[in-house]
Amino acid sequence: MNEVPAMSEKALNYIGGKWSWPSGARALASRNPANPKDVVCVFPDSPSIEIDRAVKSARKAFPSWKLLPAPQRAKIIRKAGEIMARRKAALGALVTRECGKPLVEGLGDVQEAIDMAEMAAGEGRRLYGETTPSELPNKMCFTFREPVGVCGLITPWNFPIAIPAWKALHALICGNTVILKPAEDTPLCGVAFVKALEEAGMPPGVVNLVLGTGMTTGEALVDHPGIDLISFTGSTKTGRKVAQSCANAGKRVSLECGGKNAQIILADARLDLAIEGALWGAFGTAGQRCTATSRLIVEAPVYKKVLDRLLKEARRLTLGPGLKKGTQVGPLINERQLKRVLDYIQIGKEEGAKLLCGGNRARKGALAKGWFVEPTIFADVTPDMRIFQEEIFGPVLSVVKVKDAAKAVETLNDCDYGLSSSIYTQNMNNALSAVRDIQAGIVYVNGPTIGAEVHLPFGGVKQSGNGHREAGKTGLDIFTEWKTVYVDYSGKLQRAQIDNSDTLTPHPSPLSMERGSRRVKNITPPSPYLREKGVRGDEGGEQS
């Protein structure tokens, strides 16, 4: 990233409705991980003054955007989705070129953003509050949502259009303004996403884009006093730092962090389906998903059979550039991540795990140009090993043998993370027990650990997040404040939660009193129970 070609496409910041390169900013290069000599674009490492400009722009735009009716906001979001749909092929190719994953996955990334635009726009005619009875007469109670304010969005490189859409579109439909800081490995994807919003008619200042590194631009965004909320997706280590900074400043913060996801295969599972799911979960996106299958927990009776089939199929996977037809596993995102994955493979060997396949950097032919690691499988892994416990974020699968279904769930839970999980079984009792007992925000039955849908809550427990959820209608919660309203039309002081028998007597409404309507005594019809006891249901409730 040090040598920046003079003639390259420039990715610019977008602040207050204008595209610009910040004065004096250092130029960085975004490179194709399949061939780092291919510079996708150059972009600025924006200084804190750019964040300050973006915050001022967003704060200025907030009052009018907040007051624009949500269905009108939805029209702009829906149009942005239509623009992305028209450009899907080009955007998918850009995702693949900039972050490396196979083209079919790049197109899927864009489709997620399109689907999220459709879903978020639909919320423009919902954004439901609640009404509830009051404990006092002639009094109404209801709630509604209000936007939080200016939201700073820090997004990762592995879903460079989908995750900005997950965050930004939910924030925008709620009436917030946003500042997006995309990952430094995929800045041009962030530009492409914001251009769709701009062309859809988003007012200046409502959406702002500031490019740069985490150390410079990201920290400035988190620390800025004009930011009301930070939504962060990234490593657990960085997430902790973000949370601490936000706590010190009293800001809202939503964290979607790491995962060490496990798939369980029980003896009665359909092995062909289970192995297909394990391969896709472990090696899709080269294992660079927070929901990737990193651990495979197999019941003893089928352990050897699973290993044999798994090894056979893993060796058939095609490693290559994402834009090449037939590629199933792409490169790692950068040289730093390549070194990290290779270091963990060495750790696995030293810990005594049995390396079945892979374990090396791919150097054959064109693969030597990029940051490729062979699909790697370790067998005989135990829970005390680091490769079982720690997030690797690469194409490395650790296989564990257990004695039964109960031990499988116990082993799955023996980890600091709790994002996604999976169990393959034909036994419904075991499946539902696992759904109940697994400590994870997401559980799949007879499906891989990857494959979240935009209308359902997404997030994890333990070290995988701080309890908030993205996507679905619950994704609106972090971006809104609840306002509770009490309307008292009794015409008198009423004291809630005070022991006052007078408040238990029904009062006529002020309108009925003005019209001179008579108050009708509350006559309770006799219940069968009262008739049996010889009690009349008249107004006095006298005994006969």
Side-chain angles (χ1 to χ4, degrees), residues 166-232:
W166 280 38
K167 294 181 186 294
L169 301 184
H170 268 60
L172 292 168
I173 197 62
C174 293
N176 300 285
T177 53
V178 303
I179 300 167
L180 172 64
K181 206 297 282 185
E184 59 201 77
D185 291 293
T186 52
L188 198 57
C189 287
V191 169
F193 171 68
V194 170
K195 279 186 176 179
L197 291 169
E198 178 193 34
E199 293 176 31
M202 195 64 67
V206 173
V207 174
N208 303 274
L209 174 75
V210 184
L211 306 174
T213 63
M215 293 293 290
T216 302
T217 313
E219 285 192 11
L221 182 61
V222 170
D223 294 339
H224 198 287
I227 296 290
D228 299 299
L229 176 152
I230 291 290
S231 179
F232 169 84

Side-chain angles (χ1 to χ4, degrees), residues 380-424:
D380 300 341
V381 176
T382 57
D384 59 324
M385 295 181 180
R386 288 180 62 187
I387 61 169
F388 178 93
Q389 294 288 345
E390 298 175 16
E391 185 177 40
I392 299 173
F393 222 63
V396 181
L397 179 64
S398 298
V399 188
V400 185
K401 180 167 64 174
V402 294
K403 64 180 181 179
D404 55 28
K407 188 63 177 178
V409 172
E410 179 186 332
T411 302
L412 184 150
N413 289 337
D414 185 10
C415 180
D416 290 336
Y417 296 97
L419 180 53
S420 187
S421 62
S422 164
I423 181 168
Y424 280 79

Side-chain angles (χ1 to χ4, degrees), residues 354-371:
K354 184 179 180 181
L355 181 64
L356 296 183
C357 69
N360 301 300
R361 179 176 181 176
R363 296 185 179 276
K364 185 178 179 181
L367 299 181
K369 298 178 182 179
W371 296 308

Side-chain angles (χ1 to χ4, degrees), residues 13 25-26 71 92 99 166 216 403 475 526 534 542:
N13 289 345
R26 180 171 62 119
C99 87
W166 280 38
T216 302
K403 64 180 181 179
E542 298 170 350

